[in-house]
Amino acid sequence: MRIVVLTGAGISAESGLRTFRAADGLWEDHRIEDVATPEAFARDPALVHRFYNARRSAAAQAKPNLAHHALADLAKRHDLTLVTQNVDDLHERGGSTNVIHMHGELASALCAACGHRWPSPAETDVKTPCPACSAAAARPDIVWFGEMPYHMERIWQAIERAEIFAAVGTSGQVYPAAGFGQHARRTGAHCVELNLDQSAVSRDFHEQLIGPATHIVPKWVAGLG
Ligand code: APR
């Protein structure tokens, strides 16, 4: 079957990575929305580098969990398009390939001067040079609030041909990802939401599986045959 799965921070919660809105939404006493923006980077690039260095180190110490492994398993038996809002690499380390990181990824660095991308060092700072143009203009290759998510054409096409659309561990508070369920429903997919709780867009789904991802995702995958 043609399946699209969208994941959010909730799938990495049991791996020990904090979600955005369950936590107090603060980091070093800064609201995340005030650190993950182009304005914050222009205002205080060293602070933003520090924020992502901390997230890169947390992600490196985390391990993929049963939910990540179950989705890698699903791809062996179905035509799966895996889209994630997460910037960690737990899907890849859990065995998934061709993961679509619509909000970018910690593993990649981007040159703010020439647009070159390269595998990010564990730590970047205001002096990190771009290997292509040598400008000291490295930034995290992360889609900040107000910037365009990546790979949207490919994502909309996959949703429109999907027979099943599932959203795992996402609060449905950030668009365009929050609108994927409604679009999938409109284009005929069976829509399933897997979450600890209700989300802001639960009404868009035909089916809801409530519980921790490490319990409900393997069960859901097994049920698909
Ligand atoms: N199992 C399943 N779901 C869980 C678990 C768990 N163990 N723990 C938390 N959740 C659910 C919460 O109920 C919530 O719905 O995961 C969701 C986490 O929501 P957010 O913290 O808002 O994360 P997310 O939806 O991924 O945020 C989307 O917002 O801050 C931006 O760019 C950032 O990609 C992020 C986007």
Side-chain angles (χ1 to χ4, degrees):
M1 266 187 292
R2 295 190 302 277
I3 303 175
V4 173
V5 174
L6 168 72
T7 63
I11 199 169
S12 299
E14 291 162 89
S15 294
L17 294 184
R18 287 171 53 178
T19 62
F20 289 90
R21 290 166 187 86
D24 51 13
L26 289 182
W27 175 80
E28 284 194 359
D29 300 334
H30 294 270
R31 276 173 15 87
I32 288 173
E33 282 75 9
D34 297 338
V35 178
T37 65
E39 297 71 26
F41 190 64
R43 189 174 52 241
D44 187 347
L47 173 77
V48 174
H49 278 291
R50 241 191 0 259
F51 174 60
Y52 285 98
N53 291 342
R55 293 185 66 196
R56 229 173 260 112
S57 127
Q61 286 157 42
K63 297 243 172 319
N65 63 50
L66 289 174
H68 297 106
H69 289 297
L71 292 180
D73 195 30
L74 178 65
K76 294 187 186 118
R77 298 194 303 280
H78 293 277
D79 168 2
L80 172 65
T81 301
L82 178 55
V83 182
T84 187
Q85 300 170 90
N86 300 339
V87 294
D88 62 60
D89 60 350
L90 294 180
H91 280 302
E92 289 85 350
R93 285 163 53 205
S96 292
T97 53
N98 306 321
V99 181
I100 301 178
H101 284 272
M102 63 180 288
H103 288 168
E105 44 190 315
L106 293 169
S108 173
L110 171 64
C111 177
C114 77
H116 178 64
R117 284 186 170 81
W118 71 99
S120 176
E123 306 234 326
T124 56
D125 61 34
V126 292
K127 295 190 296 300
T128 303
C130 167
C133 75
S134 329
R139 59 162 274 187
D141 187 10
I142 301 284
V143 177
W144 284 327
F145 289 94
E147 295 184 323
M148 265 307 285
Y150 295 156
H151 312 298
M152 287 311 298
E153 234 352 88
R154 193 169 147 211
I155 295 170
W156 290 126
Q157 279 163 13
I159 289 174
E160 281 154 21
R161 35 188 297 278
E163 294 164 88
I164 293 179
F165 173 75
V168 181
T170 180
S171 63
Q173 298 189 48
V174 174
Y175 284 82
F180 289 176
Q182 192 183 55
H183 193 69
R185 186 177 185 128
R186 235 188 257 132
T187 48
H190 175 67
C191 300
V192 192
E193 185 175 62
L194 296 94
N195 198 308
L196 260 190
D197 245 330
Q198 293 291 319
S199 77
V201 290
S202 293
R203 69 184 173 288
D204 295 340
F205 292 81
H206 298 102
E207 199 185 341
Q208 268 205 315
L209 302 177
I210 298 285
T214 55
H215 296 186
I216 57 176
V217 175
K219 236 164 90 193
W220 175 66
V221 167
L224 289 172

